[in-house]
Short mmCIF file of all heavy atoms in Angstrom, two decimals:
data_model
loop_
_atom_site.label_atom_id
_atom_site.label_comp_id
_atom_site.label_asym_id
_atom_site.label_seq_id
_atom_site.Cartn_x
_atom_site.Cartn_y
_atom_site.Cartn_z
N PRO U 26 50.17 75.85 -67.89
CA PRO U 26 51.29 75.28 -68.64
C PRO U 26 51.53 75.90 -70.00
O PRO U 26 52.68 76.05 -70.42
CB PRO U 26 50.92 73.79 -68.75
CG PRO U 26 49.46 73.70 -68.41
CD PRO U 26 49.15 74.86 -67.53
N LYS U 27 50.45 76.31 -70.69
CA LYS U 27 50.65 76.86 -72.05
C LYS U 27 51.41 78.16 -72.02
O LYS U 27 52.06 78.55 -72.99
CB LYS U 27 49.29 77.06 -72.73
CG LYS U 27 48.68 75.75 -73.15
CD LYS U 27 47.48 75.98 -74.08
CE LYS U 27 46.73 74.68 -74.28
NZ LYS U 27 45.31 74.76 -73.97
N GLN U 28 51.29 78.89 -70.92
CA GLN U 28 52.01 80.18 -70.78
C GLN U 28 53.24 80.02 -69.91
O GLN U 28 53.73 80.98 -69.32
CB GLN U 28 51.10 81.24 -70.17
CG GLN U 28 49.89 81.62 -71.02
CD GLN U 28 48.72 80.65 -70.87
OE1 GLN U 28 48.68 79.82 -69.98
NE2 GLN U 28 47.76 80.75 -71.78
N LEU U 29 53.75 78.82 -69.79
CA LEU U 29 54.90 78.55 -68.91
C LEU U 29 54.65 79.07 -67.50
O LEU U 29 55.55 79.62 -66.86
CB LEU U 29 56.19 79.13 -69.50
CG LEU U 29 56.59 78.65 -70.90
CD1 LEU U 29 57.94 79.23 -71.30
CD2 LEU U 29 56.64 77.13 -70.97
N ALA U 31 53.11 81.63 -66.49
CA ALA U 31 53.20 83.09 -66.29
C ALA U 31 52.18 83.49 -65.22
O ALA U 31 51.04 83.05 -65.22
CB ALA U 31 52.93 83.80 -67.61
N ARG U 63 58.59 71.87 -67.37
CA ARG U 63 59.16 72.90 -68.26
C ARG U 63 59.38 74.21 -67.54
O ARG U 63 60.30 74.97 -67.84
CB ARG U 63 58.21 73.09 -69.45
CG ARG U 63 58.89 73.75 -70.60
CD ARG U 63 58.17 73.55 -71.89
NE ARG U 63 58.69 74.53 -72.83
CZ ARG U 63 57.96 75.23 -73.65
NH1 ARG U 63 56.66 75.07 -73.70
NH2 ARG U 63 58.52 76.11 -74.46
N ALA U 67 57.65 81.38 -65.70
CA ALA U 67 58.52 82.20 -66.57
C ALA U 67 58.31 83.69 -66.34
O ALA U 67 58.66 84.50 -67.18
CB ALA U 67 58.29 81.84 -68.03
N GLY U 68 57.74 84.03 -65.21
CA GLY U 68 57.63 85.46 -64.86
C GLY U 68 56.19 85.89 -64.70
O GLY U 68 55.26 85.08 -64.86
N ALA U 69 56.04 87.15 -64.36
CA ALA U 69 54.69 87.72 -64.37
C ALA U 69 54.20 87.73 -65.81
O ALA U 69 54.99 87.71 -66.76
CB ALA U 69 54.71 89.13 -63.80
N ASP U 70 52.89 87.75 -65.97
CA ASP U 70 52.29 87.65 -67.30
C ASP U 70 52.53 88.95 -68.08
O ASP U 70 51.93 89.99 -67.76
CB ASP U 70 50.79 87.37 -67.14
CG ASP U 70 50.17 86.98 -68.47
OD1 ASP U 70 50.59 87.54 -69.52
OD2 ASP U 70 49.28 86.13 -68.47
N ILE U 71 53.38 88.86 -69.05
CA ILE U 71 53.76 90.06 -69.81
C ILE U 71 52.55 90.62 -70.56
O ILE U 71 52.37 91.84 -70.64
CB ILE U 71 54.93 89.74 -70.78
CG1 ILE U 71 56.14 89.28 -69.97
CG2 ILE U 71 55.28 90.97 -71.63
CD1 ILE U 71 57.27 88.69 -70.81
N ALA U 72 51.71 89.72 -71.06
CA ALA U 72 50.53 90.19 -71.80
C ALA U 72 49.63 91.04 -70.91
O ALA U 72 49.02 92.01 -71.37
CB ALA U 72 49.75 88.99 -72.35
N MET U 74 50.58 92.89 -68.49
CA MET U 74 51.26 94.12 -68.04
C MET U 74 51.55 95.09 -69.18
O MET U 74 51.75 96.28 -68.95
CB MET U 74 52.64 93.77 -67.44
CG MET U 74 52.62 93.16 -66.08
SD MET U 74 54.32 93.03 -65.45
CE MET U 74 55.01 91.77 -66.51
N PHE U 87 47.51 96.65 -59.44
CA PHE U 87 48.43 96.03 -60.41
C PHE U 87 48.60 94.60 -59.99
O PHE U 87 47.62 93.91 -59.71
CB PHE U 87 49.72 96.84 -60.44
CG PHE U 87 50.80 96.34 -61.40
CD1 PHE U 87 50.49 95.72 -62.58
CD2 PHE U 87 52.13 96.56 -61.10
CE1 PHE U 87 51.48 95.30 -63.45
CE2 PHE U 87 53.13 96.14 -61.96
CZ PHE U 87 52.80 95.51 -63.13
N ILE U 88 49.80 94.10 -59.87
CA ILE U 88 49.93 92.75 -59.38
C ILE U 88 50.54 92.76 -57.99
O ILE U 88 51.05 91.76 -57.53
CB ILE U 88 50.79 91.91 -60.34
CG1 ILE U 88 51.97 92.72 -60.83
CG2 ILE U 88 49.98 91.41 -61.49
CD1 ILE U 88 52.90 91.95 -61.73
N THR U 89 50.45 93.92 -57.34
CA THR U 89 51.14 93.99 -56.04
C THR U 89 50.34 93.36 -54.91
O THR U 89 50.89 92.76 -54.02
CB THR U 89 51.42 95.44 -55.64
OG1 THR U 89 50.20 96.16 -55.71
CG2 THR U 89 52.46 96.07 -56.52
N TRP U 92 51.08 89.68 -54.18
CA TRP U 92 52.45 89.16 -54.22
C TRP U 92 53.08 89.09 -52.84
O TRP U 92 54.13 88.48 -52.67
CB TRP U 92 53.32 90.00 -55.15
CG TRP U 92 53.14 89.63 -56.58
CD1 TRP U 92 52.15 90.00 -57.41
CD2 TRP U 92 53.99 88.76 -57.34
NE1 TRP U 92 52.30 89.44 -58.65
CE2 TRP U 92 53.43 88.68 -58.64
CE3 TRP U 92 55.17 88.06 -57.06
CZ2 TRP U 92 54.01 87.91 -59.64
CZ3 TRP U 92 55.74 87.30 -58.07
CH2 TRP U 92 55.15 87.23 -59.34
N GLU U 93 52.49 89.74 -51.89
CA GLU U 93 53.08 89.76 -50.56
C GLU U 93 52.44 88.73 -49.63
O GLU U 93 52.91 88.54 -48.51
CB GLU U 93 52.94 91.17 -49.94
CG GLU U 93 53.69 92.26 -50.72
CD GLU U 93 55.19 92.01 -50.77
OE1 GLU U 93 55.79 91.76 -49.71
OE2 GLU U 93 55.76 92.05 -51.88
N PHE U 109 62.11 76.73 -66.09
CA PHE U 109 62.33 78.17 -65.96
C PHE U 109 61.77 78.74 -64.65
O PHE U 109 60.62 78.49 -64.30
CB PHE U 109 61.65 78.91 -67.12
CG PHE U 109 62.19 78.57 -68.47
CD1 PHE U 109 61.43 77.85 -69.38
CD2 PHE U 109 63.48 78.97 -68.83
CE1 PHE U 109 61.93 77.53 -70.64
CE2 PHE U 109 63.99 78.65 -70.09
CZ PHE U 109 63.22 77.93 -70.99
N LEU U 111 61.90 82.51 -63.88
CA LEU U 111 62.39 83.78 -64.42
C LEU U 111 61.55 84.94 -63.90
O LEU U 111 60.34 84.79 -63.68
CB LEU U 111 62.32 83.76 -65.94
CG LEU U 111 63.09 82.63 -66.64
CD1 LEU U 111 62.87 82.71 -68.16
CD2 LEU U 111 64.57 82.69 -66.31
N GLY U 112 62.18 86.09 -63.77
CA GLY U 112 61.45 87.29 -63.38
C GLY U 112 60.66 87.05 -62.11
O GLY U 112 61.21 86.60 -61.09
N GLY U 113 59.35 87.31 -62.19
CA GLY U 113 58.50 87.08 -61.03
C GLY U 113 58.50 85.63 -60.58
O GLY U 113 58.24 85.34 -59.40
N GLY U 114 58.81 84.71 -61.47
CA GLY U 114 58.91 83.29 -61.10
C GLY U 114 60.10 83.05 -60.20
O GLY U 114 60.03 82.31 -59.22
N GLU U 116 61.43 85.41 -58.43
CA GLU U 116 61.12 86.14 -57.19
C GLU U 116 60.19 85.34 -56.29
O GLU U 116 60.36 85.32 -55.07
CB GLU U 116 60.51 87.51 -57.55
CG GLU U 116 61.55 88.42 -58.17
CD GLU U 116 60.95 89.69 -58.77
OE1 GLU U 116 60.01 89.57 -59.58
OE2 GLU U 116 61.42 90.78 -58.43
N PRO U 135 65.25 88.45 -66.07
CA PRO U 135 65.46 89.04 -67.40
C PRO U 135 64.65 90.31 -67.65
O PRO U 135 64.56 90.76 -68.79
CB PRO U 135 64.99 87.91 -68.33
CG PRO U 135 63.90 87.23 -67.57
CD PRO U 135 64.27 87.33 -66.12
N GLU U 136 64.08 90.90 -66.60
CA GLU U 136 63.18 92.05 -66.80
C GLU U 136 63.84 93.18 -67.57
O GLU U 136 63.18 93.93 -68.29
CB GLU U 136 62.70 92.59 -65.45
CG GLU U 136 61.72 91.71 -64.71
CD GLU U 136 62.37 90.73 -63.77
OE1 GLU U 136 63.57 90.40 -63.96
OE2 GLU U 136 61.69 90.27 -62.85
N LYS U 138 65.43 93.16 -70.08
CA LYS U 138 65.20 93.03 -71.52
C LYS U 138 63.86 93.63 -71.93
O LYS U 138 63.62 93.91 -73.09
CB LYS U 138 65.22 91.54 -71.93
CG LYS U 138 66.61 90.97 -71.92
CD LYS U 138 66.77 89.79 -72.87
CE LYS U 138 66.01 88.59 -72.39
NZ LYS U 138 66.31 87.38 -73.14
N LEU U 139 62.94 93.77 -70.95
CA LEU U 139 61.64 94.38 -71.21
C LEU U 139 61.66 95.85 -70.80
O LEU U 139 60.62 96.50 -70.72
CB LEU U 139 60.55 93.65 -70.42
CG LEU U 139 60.39 92.15 -70.66
CD1 LEU U 139 59.50 91.53 -69.59
CD2 LEU U 139 59.84 91.89 -72.05
N ILE U 141 62.13 96.93 -67.90
CA ILE U 141 61.66 97.12 -66.53
C ILE U 141 62.73 96.51 -65.62
O ILE U 141 63.80 96.13 -66.10
CB ILE U 141 60.27 96.48 -66.28
CG1 ILE U 141 60.27 95.01 -66.65
CG2 ILE U 141 59.19 97.24 -67.05
CD1 ILE U 141 59.02 94.25 -66.20
N LEU U 142 62.46 96.45 -64.35
CA LEU U 142 63.40 95.79 -63.46
C LEU U 142 62.61 94.89 -62.51
O LEU U 142 61.39 94.98 -62.45
CB LEU U 142 64.25 96.82 -62.71
CG LEU U 142 63.55 97.95 -61.96
CD1 LEU U 142 62.95 97.52 -60.65
CD2 LEU U 142 64.53 99.10 -61.70
N PRO U 143 63.31 94.02 -61.82
CA PRO U 143 62.58 93.11 -60.94
C PRO U 143 61.73 93.91 -59.95
O PRO U 143 62.25 94.81 -59.28
CB PRO U 143 63.70 92.36 -60.21
CG PRO U 143 64.86 92.42 -61.15
CD PRO U 143 64.76 93.78 -61.81
N GLY U 144 60.44 93.60 -59.90
CA GLY U 144 59.52 94.42 -59.11
C GLY U 144 58.87 93.71 -57.95
O GLY U 144 58.03 94.27 -57.26
N ALA U 145 59.26 92.46 -57.72
CA ALA U 145 58.67 91.72 -56.61
C ALA U 145 59.77 91.27 -55.65
O ALA U 145 59.80 90.13 -55.19
CB ALA U 145 57.87 90.53 -57.13
N MET U 169 70.61 83.69 -67.84
CA MET U 169 70.05 82.68 -66.93
C MET U 169 71.19 81.91 -66.27
O MET U 169 72.26 81.75 -66.84
CB MET U 169 69.20 81.69 -67.73
CG MET U 169 67.91 82.28 -68.26
SD MET U 169 66.96 80.98 -69.03
CE MET U 169 66.16 81.88 -70.34
N1 LIG S 301 54.26 86.18 -69.75
C1 LIG S 301 53.32 85.80 -70.66
N2 LIG S 301 53.49 84.76 -71.51
C2 LIG S 301 54.65 84.06 -71.44
C3 LIG S 301 55.67 84.42 -70.52
C4 LIG S 301 55.43 85.53 -69.64
N3 LIG S 301 56.31 85.91 -68.68
N4 LIG S 301 56.71 83.56 -70.70
C5 LIG S 301 56.34 82.72 -71.67
N5 LIG S 301 55.11 83.01 -72.12
C6 LIG S 301 54.35 82.35 -73.17
C7 LIG S 301 54.89 82.69 -74.55
O1 LIG S 301 54.39 83.92 -74.99
C8 LIG S 301 54.39 81.52 -75.36
O2 LIG S 301 53.03 81.73 -75.65
P1 LIG S 301 52.43 81.36 -77.12
O3 LIG S 301 53.24 82.14 -78.08
O4 LIG S 301 52.65 79.87 -77.24
O5 LIG S 301 51.00 81.75 -77.04
C9 LIG S 301 54.46 80.37 -74.37
O6 LIG S 301 54.50 80.94 -73.06
C10 LIG S 301 55.72 79.52 -74.56
O7 LIG S 301 56.84 80.39 -74.53
P2 LIG S 301 57.94 80.42 -75.69
O8 LIG S 301 57.36 80.00 -76.99
O9 LIG S 301 58.60 81.76 -75.64
O10 LIG S 301 58.91 79.27 -75.20
P3 LIG S 301 60.48 79.17 -75.42
O11 LIG S 301 60.87 77.82 -74.90
O12 LIG S 301 60.88 79.54 -76.80
O13 LIG S 301 61.13 80.28 -74.44
C11 LIG S 301 61.37 81.49 -72.40
C12 LIG S 301 60.97 80.15 -73.10
C13 LIG S 301 61.06 81.33 -70.91
C14 LIG S 301 62.86 81.75 -72.57
C15 LIG S 301 60.57 82.66 -73.05
O14 LIG S 301 59.20 82.28 -73.06
C16 LIG S 301 60.73 83.96 -72.31
O15 LIG S 301 61.74 84.65 -72.44
N6 LIG S 301 59.69 84.32 -71.53
C17 LIG S 301 59.63 85.62 -70.85
C18 LIG S 301 60.55 85.63 -69.65
C19 LIG S 301 60.53 86.97 -68.98
O16 LIG S 301 60.86 88.01 -69.54
N7 LIG S 301 60.13 87.00 -67.72
C20 LIG S 301 60.02 88.23 -66.94
C21 LIG S 301 58.64 88.85 -67.13
S1 LIG S 301 58.46 90.38 -66.22
C22 LIG S 301 55.60 92.84 -59.48
C23 LIG S 301 55.54 91.47 -59.43
C24 LIG S 301 56.17 90.71 -60.42
C25 LIG S 301 56.81 91.33 -61.45
C26 LIG S 301 56.89 92.71 -61.48
C27 LIG S 301 56.27 93.47 -60.50
N8 LIG S 301 54.98 93.62 -58.46
C28 LIG S 301 54.48 92.94 -57.30
C29 LIG S 301 54.94 95.03 -58.55
C30 LIG S 301 57.43 90.50 -62.45
C31 LIG S 301 57.72 90.88 -63.69
C32 LIG S 301 58.16 89.85 -64.64
O17 LIG S 301 58.30 88.68 -64.35
#
Side-chain angles (χ1 to χ4, degrees):
K27 286 192 190 126
Q28 296 82 13
L29 302 185
R63 199 161 164 223
D70 191 324
I71 299 169
M74 285 187 291
F87 180 32
I88 42 177
T89 53
W92 279 80
E93 297 299 311
F109 297 111
L111 302 177
E116 291 170 307
E136 289 90 338
K138 287 206 291 190
L139 302 168
I141 55 170
L142 52 77
M169 290 185 213

